[in-house]
């Protein structure tokens, strides 16, 4: 193989390698190319996701406020119940004292 044949063979090999690289590049870009409609769809989905997250955050805030209100209301109701129970206990004690006093007074009057 003389020098000219070697240069031609090398040029052919390099040209074939170039063509294969170009074809591979074209093929890869062909498969991963994103269409304009897909980009629009992705933007719409991102916007909907953002809106859904905002709605979720608002719902969480509302539920936390509502839970705080209900907890406060429950605490107040429990305090009122405890006060009522104490009042009832005291009223029963006074009623028992009055009953005993009446029984003693009735016993003295009969005796």
């Amino acid at each position: 193989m003389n020098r000219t044949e070697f240069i031609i063979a090398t040029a052919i090999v390099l040209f074939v390698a170039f063509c294969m690289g170009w074809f591979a590049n074209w093929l890869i870009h062909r498969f991963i190319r994103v269409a304009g409609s897909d980009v629009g769809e992705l933007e719409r989905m991102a916007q909907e996701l953002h809106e859904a997250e905002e709605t979720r955050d608002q719902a969480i805030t509302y539920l936390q406020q509502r839970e705080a209100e209900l907890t406060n209301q429950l605490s107040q109701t429990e305090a009122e119940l405890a006060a009522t129970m104490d009042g009832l206990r005291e009223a029963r004690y006074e009623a028992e004292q009055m009953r005993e006093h009446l029984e003693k007074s009735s016993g003295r009057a009969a005796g």
Side-chain angles (χ1 to χ4, degrees):
M1 175 184 265
N2 64 19
R3 184 175 178 182
T4 307
E5 291 174 347
F6 178 73
I7 291 173
I8 292 173
T10 303
I12 291 172
V13 168
L14 289 175
F15 181 73
V16 169
F18 169 78
C19 289
M20 288 177 58
W22 180 82
F23 180 72
N25 184 37
W26 175 80
L27 195 61
I28 288 171
H29 282 78
R30 175 88 173 148
F31 286 123
I32 65 171
R33 183 182 310 149
V34 178
S37 61
D38 291 341
V39 172
E41 181 73 14
L42 288 174
E43 288 178 1
R44 185 186 61 78
M45 288 171 53
Q47 180 65 29
E48 288 177 1
L49 178 62
H50 180 69
E51 291 171 0
E53 287 175 345
E54 285 181 354
T55 303
R56 182 205 59 195
D57 291 343
Q58 290 173 356
I60 288 172
T61 302
Y62 172 76
L63 289 175
Q64 288 173 342
Q65 290 173 348
R66 187 67 179 142
E67 181 181 13
E69 291 172 5
L70 290 176
T71 301
N72 186 25
Q73 187 178 6
L74 177 62
S75 298
Q76 290 176 353
T77 303
E78 287 175 346
E80 290 173 4
L81 176 62
T84 304
M85 293 299 287
D86 288 343
L88 180 60
R89 192 175 302 112
E90 190 174 312
R92 285 181 180 168
Y93 178 75
E94 289 177 5
E96 185 64 30
Q97 294 293 327
M98 296 283 262
R99 194 174 299 126
E100 288 176 6
H101 181 69
L102 286 175
E103 287 176 0
K104 286 181 183 179
S105 297
S106 298
R108 283 190 211 155

